[in-house]
Amino acid sequence: MLKIKEKTVNDNDFGEVTLRKNPRCRRPSVKVSPNLKVTVTVPSLFSFRQALSLLDRYRDKVKSFLEKQQKKNALRVSLDETDIEKLRKEAKEYLPVRTETIAGRYGFTYSGVSIKNNKTNWGSCSSRKHINLNLNLMRVPSPARDYVIIHELCHLRYMNHGPEFHALLEKTLIDFYSSIDNQDYLDRVTEIRASAPSGAPIHRAMQLCLRDFPLR
């Protein structure tokens, strides 16, 4: 049976760091968890010393990841019932109308829109062509809201995340992207696309951008 070996070390910059030798690992990686813990994972043939060398090599990037994660954590605001009901009212007034506008622009037909307070997803689409949207979308920039709506509208034609779905999503977003006037959001998407090894498609960059706004 393959076993994962771990070792904990103290780092001057990152505090407690976990070094992990995983037989299933094919590529070394350094990750920062939501609780700001740093983990270096390497194939089992690597030594822990090599894992430490990897950490040193990517030290600046890890610091950057930590800063971004700290900003994300700061956005995790706990809402009371009054806040939730206020958001629900705003969402019910805004999201169905916005969905109708975008659907009309791109020729999508759906059966209805419901507003939910989900903790695990921003939206969903049922086989009956009914769209569910999270009331917390009212807490994110309008382009991020529209991305979720467009994503769910594309599911009306493809109830999966296969190549055809992503092709439709990308085609739709390319047109939509030209109408975004939120420069901060555009800069963030550009940053994400530029950081990808071979560039990221717009739909992937906008999906990753949404992670800057945690549900909880």
Side-chain angles (χ1 to χ4, degrees):
M1 182 178 178
L2 301 176
K3 292 185 178 181
I4 297 175
K5 296 182 180 180
E6 291 187 355
K7 180 179 180 180
T8 301
V9 298
N10 288 315
D11 184 89
N12 291 334
D13 291 323
F14 311 129
E16 190 175 278
V17 174
T18 300
L19 307 179
R20 180 174 296 152
K21 297 169 66 174
N22 188 344
R24 297 182 183 277
C25 173
R26 295 187 177 183
R27 289 185 177 180
S29 66
V30 182
K31 294 185 178 180
V32 176
S33 69
N35 63 356
L36 307 181
K37 295 295 183 181
V38 178
T39 301
V40 182
T41 303
V42 297
S44 58
L45 293 178
F46 279 52
S47 66
F48 285 125
R49 180 173 295 182
Q50 287 175 303
L52 279 173
S53 296
L54 185 70
L55 180 64
D56 286 333
R57 189 188 312 168
Y58 292 102
R59 187 166 295 272
D60 289 342
K61 286 188 176 182
V62 175
K63 288 180 180 179
S64 177
F65 291 154
L66 278 169
E67 291 176 1
K68 290 179 180 179
Q69 187 60 55
Q70 287 171 335
K71 290 180 181 179
K72 287 183 180 182
N73 290 350
L75 291 171
R76 296 180 187 274
V77 180
S78 179
L79 302 178
D80 59 27
E81 286 301 319
T82 301
D83 293 327
I84 292 174
E85 288 310 309
K86 181 181 178 181
L87 280 177
R88 193 188 305 278
K89 183 176 183 297
E90 292 176 357
K92 285 185 175 180
E93 291 176 353
Y94 178 86
L95 293 177
V97 175
R98 184 58 178 164
T99 301
E100 183 178 8
T101 298
I102 295 176
R105 174 174 174 176
Y106 294 111
F108 292 105
T109 302
Y110 56 96
S111 62
V113 176
S114 294
I115 306 302
K116 306 287 186 180
N117 185 24
N118 294 330
K119 296 181 179 181
T120 58
N121 63 56
W122 291 103
S124 63
C125 177
S126 75
S127 58
R128 296 183 177 181
K129 299 186 180 299
H130 191 93
I131 292 175
N132 299 302
L133 297 173
N134 197 314
L135 59 85
N136 287 285
L137 284 170
M138 302 308 298
R139 300 169 62 196
V140 307
S142 58
R145 272 199 301 265
D146 290 342
Y147 162 76
V148 173
I149 292 173
I150 291 171
H151 182 108
E152 300 311 329
L153 287 172
C154 288
H155 275 311
L156 294 167
R157 297 181 186 172
Y158 302 103
M159 293 295 294
N160 55 56
H161 288 101
E164 291 178 316
F165 166 79
H166 283 118
L168 174 61
L169 180 60
E170 184 71 4
K171 177 182 177 181
T172 307
L173 287 174
I174 287 174
D175 177 82
F176 168 76
Y177 196 74
S178 64
S179 66
I180 297 176
D181 59 4
N182 184 323
Q183 192 58 50
D184 288 340
Y185 183 86
L186 291 172
D187 289 344
R188 177 62 178 137
V189 172
T190 299
E191 176 189 358
I192 293 172
R193 298 187 74 189
S195 65
S198 57
I202 290 176
H203 76 264
R204 178 58 176 163
M206 293 183 75
Q207 178 188 38
L208 292 174
C209 188
L210 193 60
R211 294 182 183 179
D212 290 343
F213 311 99
L215 279 171
R216 289 290 185 271

